[in-house]
Amino acid sequence: MYAIIATGGKQYKVSEGDIIRVEKLDAEVNDTVTFDQVVAISDGTMKVASDVASATVTGTVMNQGRAKKVIVYKYKRKSGYHKKNGHRQAFTQVKIEKINA
């Protein structure tokens, strides 16, 4: 059985026991989070739309962190302009505990 959930502007295919990295959530480590935006559930047959309106997915926050640095370098030739910038995206690592269909 798997579910497709939406969080942080992205969609994730999850099963029970999976560990996923999502956009940063306001939760502490070992807190329980509930994803109520379930797009689809499959348990042999695919259920979408009104069939999954009341479905939820629960998980436990395992870690809060930041990804590896991405270097952004802007350059315009012949004008002497260059700018170097770095960015580290924050994430939350979640372990999926239960799919409530």
Side-chain angles (χ1 to χ4, degrees):
M1 174 184 233
Y2 69 87
I4 299 173
I5 60 170
T7 179
K10 299 178 180 77
Q11 294 181 354
Y12 300 91
K13 178 182 174 184
V14 296
S15 300
E16 291 182 4
D18 284 355
I19 297 173
I20 60 171
R21 280 188 173 186
V22 298
E23 296 294 320
K24 183 165 174 47
L25 301 172
D26 273 343
E28 299 293 326
V29 176
N30 295 327
D31 281 356
T32 301
V33 293
T34 303
F35 301 103
D36 55 356
Q37 289 186 332
V38 179
V39 177
I41 292 180
S42 175
D43 54 353
T45 61
M46 184 64 78
K47 297 177 186 170
V48 294
S50 62
D51 296 337
V52 294
S54 62
T56 59
V57 175
T58 57
T60 305
V61 175
M62 297 182 67
N63 188 15
Q64 295 276 15
R66 293 170 67 193
K68 290 180 72 173
K69 183 177 277 193
V70 177
I71 302 297
V72 180
Y73 193 77
K74 298 180 180 180
Y75 174 78
K76 294 189 191 265
R77 63 188 188 131
K78 298 180 183 175
S79 65
Y81 172 80
H82 57 91
K83 187 162 187 87
K84 185 176 179 182
N85 195 2
H87 176 74
R88 293 182 67 190
Q89 185 67 35
F91 68 85
T92 301
Q93 193 171 17
V94 178
K95 180 175 183 181
I96 303 300
E97 300 292 338
K98 184 149 180 64
I99 298 173
N100 305 312

